[in-house]
Amino acid sequence: MGEADETPFGFSWFRPKGLQWLSNFIPFMSILSANAMLQGAIVNGLVSVSISSIEKRFKLTSTQSGIFAATYDVFVTVMLIPLALYATKVNKVKCIGLGMMIVGIGSILVIIPEYTAGPYSVGEVKKDVCVTGGPDKVCSEGSSDTFSAHRELLLLLLSQAFVGIGASPLFTYGITCLDEFDSHKRTGRNLALYMIASTVGPALAFVGCGFMLRLWGDWRTSPAEMGIDNSADPRFIGMWWIGFVVCGFVALFTAFPLIMFPKRLKDTTVRKANDVHRTDASLDKDFSDHKYEFFKIIFMLFKNKTCMCVILMQTIEAMLMNGYITFIPKLLETLLGFSSGNASLITGGVVVPVGIVASYIGGRISKLFENRFKPSMYFVIVFGIMAAGCSSCLLIRCESLNVYGVNVPSSDLPRYGALETCSENCHCDSFFNPVCSEDSKLTFLSPCHAGCADMPGIKFGASNWTNCGCSKNTIVKKGYCDASCQKQIYQFIIMFIALSFCIFITAPVLQSSSLRVVNHKHRDHFTCFGWLWMRILGSIPGAIVFGYIIDVNCMYWQKDCVSQKCQFYNASNLGWAFFYFTIAVKFTGGILLFLAAYCYQESDKSNGKESCRTLETDTSESVKMSYEKNLPSGLSPETMVY
């Protein structure tokens, strides 16, 4: 579209001349990246960090919190078909802006269940020391769930539904707009910057929300009046909701400029003047005038071997990556004995900076390849094989701990200088607070399981205990016994950095070159069709598969009246299971990409060399006429190169 015919930046009567400079690619890219950062912060950051607090605040089981997290994916999946169906009929940038406003509203909605739930109430304080006498705790009949008790859960699900519906245009239309508004040679770089913004968002959310969770979260009560001394008390509830509210209002602000963008930017024609047409020969078709255009396009994509091999590869990668994102901190806790806080810190400290650097390098490499499909696929295959080798870091672990009640039965206690009956009269609450006996290097599930007596001045969350029946003449200290594995930790971190680098560097190359396979008019259909496969068969089942792998390797389940939670895993078996799964995915993905490259045939090849062509050289006269019909006045096909 010529610049003279461009719709001005703005809406309705509000189109000031002083803002027309925003209708260019760089301002658009900046605003879109800011929205990607916020979406990543809300979905991949705040939800992950706050899930434990949400469970505690609304007394949710692990299953219910899993439903809360999965609701986003479900509603994203539901939206993919209408997004593909109306891609050519709407202003995609405005759709992204309206969607992000819905994301902002959905994020703010979490304050409603926090309000309707009323003041936060807690039960009596649990003891983590040995209390003798009296019966063991039994579950009351009132512990069973009822529909009325889950009003807040339904409101939380509504919030996630809004976020899922609103975020879906961002990573479908958003990706295709980057390709549509700028030169194909720069698509890889633009996608890299877009992915960097999406990576930085969760990192900022982890830091900010981690701080806010240290502050008391219920404005109607105070921790002192409830007998809660500090955040170490398991009944403490942090200010989990503040991050959602802040990000929600910021999203409303950053989304507003997007709804003022025209359908095509002012500098698009200049930026795309020398684009190269690399569409697969069997996909270089135009169904613009067909009655069943949408179904013809989807059926064409489904029949194409190159297209489906790429989509299947991305699907199994989505399964692997979603599992890693969800469970890698837990894996670090199990393999290397990190606390949950340190595991999250290590994960964020490695993944975020490495992801930023690798994504940028991947974008530059994509530009060097000029989006040629076969070289790009071979590049992704090579780094996939390297990633498979680096995944052997999952086999590095500290020496197995000796834990009483898990892998050390009571009959073996005399070997550690304790009597078999040292804690048999203690009535221990069902929570996990591991402590270490320094003389025997034996870990206990809690001070209570170590037979530590209740003494004046000892509060919940203390760092050490004395007078413990299972540890004579020594102090019992909080935490696991030291496994002395500094060497293994350094080895793991180095290999984990290499693994993360190999994964992130391929993303811009794969995404950018894949967009070249399909006709430029079918980019949105291809993207939505691919995301549909990745969500239904990748991301959603990925967390389930990884969760199952983790659960079957559980050695100790902490159980209460309404739920159970694994607190100790078989580190060796868990590491091997993750390793085998990673190897299987990487090598299967490599085979699929090799088949995609083998089946790919670029349009209008001559003498075996890659050739550039304009749409004027289409062999189908009807395609040419259809294209010319949609061009604005004053612009001919000779002036536009794809």
Side-chain angles (χ1 to χ4, degrees), residues 48-49 52 206 213 326-334 336-348 432 434 480 565 567:
S48 300
V49 177
S52 296
F206 270 103
L213 287 177
T326 306
F327 294 110
I328 198 66
K330 185 182 289 290
L331 189 63
L332 293 185
E333 295 175 41
T334 302
L336 303 174
F338 288 135
S339 66
S340 57
N342 287 337
S344 298
L345 183 63
I346 292 293
T347 303
F432 191 64
Y480 291 110
K565 181 180 181 182
Q567 296 286 14

Side-chain angles (χ1 to χ4, degrees), residues 73-133:
D73 287 311
V74 171
F75 278 87
V76 165
T77 304
V78 169
M79 288 297 297
L80 290 174
I81 293 178
L83 286 175
L85 185 60
Y86 294 101
T88 60
K89 303 174 183 178
V90 297
N91 183 329
K92 290 184 284 189
V93 184
K94 287 187 177 181
C95 284
I96 297 171
L98 292 173
M100 283 305 299
M101 286 188 169
I102 296 174
V103 169
I105 293 171
S107 186
I108 296 171
L109 283 178
V110 299
I111 197 67
I112 297 179
E114 172 66 27
Y115 177 79
T116 60
Y120 177 54
S121 61
V122 299
E124 62 176 309
V125 65
K126 292 182 176 181
K127 294 284 187 179
D128 61 353
V129 293
C130 181
V131 178
T132 59

Side-chain angles (χ1 to χ4, degrees), residues 305-316:
K305 297 183 180 66
T306 297
C307 177
M308 288 309 301
C309 283
V310 171
I311 288 176
L312 288 174
M313 179 270 176
Q314 292 176 320
T315 298
I316 61 175

Side-chain angles (χ1 to χ4, degrees), residues 364-375:
R364 303 295 295 183
I365 292 174
S366 177
K367 184 178 180 180
L368 292 176
F369 285 153
E370 296 182 345
N371 293 316
R372 293 194 299 272
F373 184 74
K374 289 188 176 182

Side-chain angles (χ1 to χ4, degrees), residues 137-154:
K137 178 183 176 182
V138 295
C139 295
S140 63
E141 296 181 0
S143 297
S144 60
D145 296 332
T146 62
F147 177 81
S148 60
H150 298 301
R151 175 186 57 191
E152 283 71 38
L153 174 61
L154 295 176

Side-chain angles (χ1 to χ4, degrees), residues 499-578:
L499 173 62
S500 301
F501 183 85
C502 291
I503 291 173
F504 278 99
I505 196 173
T506 60
V509 179
L510 177 63
Q511 188 73 57
S512 178
S513 59
S514 298
L515 288 173
R516 303 281 72 75
V517 173
V518 298
N519 187 284
H520 70 285
K521 294 183 179 181
H522 305 154
R523 283 175 295 209
D524 299 288
H525 301 85
F526 173 71
T527 303
C528 293
F529 185 60
W531 272 106
L532 192 65
W533 281 73
M534 283 187 276
R535 290 288 176 179
I536 295 177
L537 299 178
S539 300
I540 295 175
I544 298 174
V545 171
F546 270 73
Y548 174 77
I549 292 174
I550 288 177
D551 284 348
V552 296
N553 288 287
C554 182
M555 298 179 68
Y556 173 72
W557 288 94
Q558 172 189 316
K559 301 179 180 179
D560 57 30
C561 296
V562 296
S563 63
Q564 60 180 10
K565 181 180 181 182
C566 186
Q567 296 286 14
F568 195 81
Y569 300 90
N570 186 319
S572 176
N573 290 350
L574 193 59
W576 278 103
F578 271 61

Side-chain angles (χ1 to χ4, degrees), residues 22 143 303 368 387 463 552 579:
L22 290 172
S143 297
K303 289 194 305 180
L368 292 176
S463 298
V552 296
F579 174 70

Side-chain angles (χ1 to χ4, degrees), residues 433-445:
N433 184 26
V435 294
C436 174
S437 173
E438 293 195 319
D439 60 343
S440 61
K441 297 300 179 183
L442 180 63
T443 299
F444 295 87
L445 298 175

